[in-house]
Amino acid sequence: MARISQRTGASATAMLGLGVYRPARLVTNDEICEVLDSNDEWIQTRSGIRTRRFAGEDESLLDMATHAARAALEVSGIGAEQISTVILATSTHAQHTPAAAPIVADRLGSRAAAFDVSAGCAGFCHALSVASDLVRGGNAGYALVIGVEKLSTFMDPTDRGTAFIFADGAGAVVVGPAEDAGIGPVAWGSDGSQSHVITQQPTCQHNSAEHPMVVQMEGTAVFRWAPFAMADVARESIEGAGLTIDDLDAFVPHQANLRITETLARNLKLPEGIAIARDVQDSGNTSAASVPLAIEAMVRQGQAKAGDTALLIAFGAGLSFASQVVTLPPVAGL
Ligand SMILES: CC(C)(COP(=O)(O)OP(=O)(O)OC[C@H]1O[C@@H](n2cnc3c(N)ncnc32)[C@H](O)[C@@H]1OP(=O)(O)O)[C@@H](O)C(=O)NCCC(=O)NCCS
């Protein structure tokens, strides 16, 4: 039998830099309620959301991903030609084929291996873990991870269960070798018995032929599941990193809904003084983009800084979930 060689890579990895893209157009609850049978007070009370951003015609999913990726590369000091793998997490790229990642890689001037990850709102944390293991395993020198969504084109604006929640944006990080480990072991899994809870369905009359699917969600089922099941997953990732909850500086959960974040934080019994990401209030739920966008918002607003230890956890359609403890990276433009 021929003896096959295997690679070994970096002994430790970290996020080297983070970039984001927030679409220009700010959308208030009042604007949402021009079409949706709801009101600002109900939306803020039930979800915490005050505003969100919707991409314009000139801000495609590929454009947003490319902007965020360029910013991440620049702040990391890594050239596109040094990237061996591009992993793009999304549920709103309009086609299964071709995937978005190779197109974004090409726009960046890269011929890296490039593929999309479909893990709903948990996509970024899945992709981050895969990227870290690729670098540790030696199959990638540097990897680029992108979470991007254009959910505004995948929504029925009259659906009371989704129209006020979802939004658009992109975030990206470069993962590479590091002296000290900055990405802890992942705690992840799925519960496909609940796959019906968040789905994409053929369109209603409000969407054009260009966007034939809309998101549908059993919001109450998500609410019953996430704040409780995810507390155990978060504890597993803290333990996997060899830390305790007292070692954390920041908590960055997927920005699903402020009530889910607050309930999860309470269930985790986070010590006082830990900064909690609440970007959902300004940005809505941007699914696979929400974790990097929330990190950027926390650093920009001075609630956290590069070098802080943060617990990430993301969860959503699948139902899929992933969590890891990380060291926050430098953020582009700050
Ligand atoms: C979507 C969500 C806000 C709905 O809140 P809820 O408390 O479960 O609401 P319900 O569907 O039980 O409806 C409660 C009441 O509000 C009304 N209502 C529902 N949607 C409404 C809306 N958009 N505006 C105004 N009223 C609304 C209902 O008609 C109902 O009225 P009633 O009590 O008179 O019958 C909530 O379930 C939620 O946040 N779930 C998690 C969703 C999420 O974040 N998903 C992210 C996936 S990653």
Side-chain angles (χ1 to χ4, degrees):
M1 193 174 70
R3 178 164 292 194
I4 295 173
S5 308
Q6 290 189 319
R7 293 178 180 140
T8 47
S11 54
T13 59
M15 296 189 280
L16 305 183
L18 180 149
V20 301
Y21 183 80
R22 294 176 191 275
R25 187 168 156 237
L26 195 69
V27 179
T28 62
N29 290 338
D30 286 340
E31 183 177 340
I32 293 287
C33 296
E34 285 170 17
V35 182
L36 183 70
D37 177 14
S38 187
N39 58 73
D40 176 49
E41 197 209 334
W42 192 95
I43 294 172
Q44 287 208 40
T45 310
R46 301 288 177 131
S47 71
I49 298 170
R50 301 183 294 228
T51 58
R52 77 285 288 142
R53 286 176 187 267
F54 284 176
E57 302 251 308
D58 57 340
E59 294 169 304
S60 72
L61 179 129
L62 297 171
D63 295 337
M64 293 192 287
T66 307
H67 276 287
R70 281 211 182 98
L73 287 168
E74 198 177 318
V75 70
S76 305
I78 299 297
E81 70 290 348
Q82 293 173 269
I83 298 290
S84 342
T85 314
V86 177
I87 311 177
L88 186 148
T90 190
S91 303
T92 50
H93 177 46
Q95 298 132 328
H96 286 298
T97 304
I103 304 170
V104 173
D106 180 58
R107 288 183 175 195
L108 296 169
S110 163
R111 286 288 172 269
F115 56 94
D116 292 358
V117 162
S118 174
C121 299
F124 179 83
C125 289
H126 278 71
L128 181 63
S129 172
V130 172
S132 176
D133 286 353
L134 283 170
V135 175
R136 274 161 39 88
N139 279 321
Y142 295 93
L144 179 62
V145 173
I146 305 168
V148 57
E149 302 287 2
K150 194 169 178 181
L151 278 147
S152 58
T153 55
F154 278 75
M155 285 191 305
D156 172 354
T158 65
D159 178 3
R160 293 174 114 202
T162 58
F164 63 95
I165 291 179
F166 293 112
D168 304 339
V173 295
V174 173
V175 173
E179 250 172 56
D180 299 314
I183 302 174
V186 70
W188 57 357
S190 67
D191 178 3
S193 73
Q194 296 199 72
S195 57
H196 57 278
V197 166
I198 306 171
T199 59
Q200 288 184 348
Q201 297 292 337
T203 198
C204 64
Q205 69 275 19
H206 299 286
N207 270 15
S208 68
E210 209 182 320
H211 302 292
M213 305 292 276
V214 289
V215 176
Q216 287 188 354
M217 179 170 64
E218 293 176 24
T220 314
V222 178
F223 206 99
R224 281 202 199 107
W225 169 76
F228 306 97
M230 291 307 98
D232 289 338
V233 177
R235 284 187 203 104
E236 190 187 327
S237 76
I238 297 168
E239 205 180 301
L243 300 176
T244 71
I245 208 155
D246 294 315
D247 294 311
L248 301 176
D249 301 306
F251 175 48
V252 191
H254 164 51
Q255 301 292 289
N257 175 315
L258 191 61
R259 284 163 65 213
I260 290 181
T261 295
E262 308 283 11
T263 315
L264 181 53
R266 260 199 313 278
N267 290 343
L268 274 171
K269 300 188 175 58
L270 290 182
E272 282 207 15
I274 290 188
I276 299 178
R278 294 188 174 87
D279 188 41
V280 71
Q281 294 179 298
D282 301 322
S283 305
N285 175 338
T286 54
S287 192
S290 90
V291 166
L293 281 168
I295 294 173
E296 186 269 350
M298 289 183 94
V299 175
R300 178 166 35 84
Q301 293 162 5
Q303 293 146 8
K305 58 184 186 316
D308 278 359
T309 303
L311 169 64
L312 311 184
I313 184 160
F315 46 85
L319 297 174
S320 295
F321 51 88
S323 172
Q324 57 271 97
V325 176
V326 300
T327 305
L328 293 183
V331 174
L334 301 179

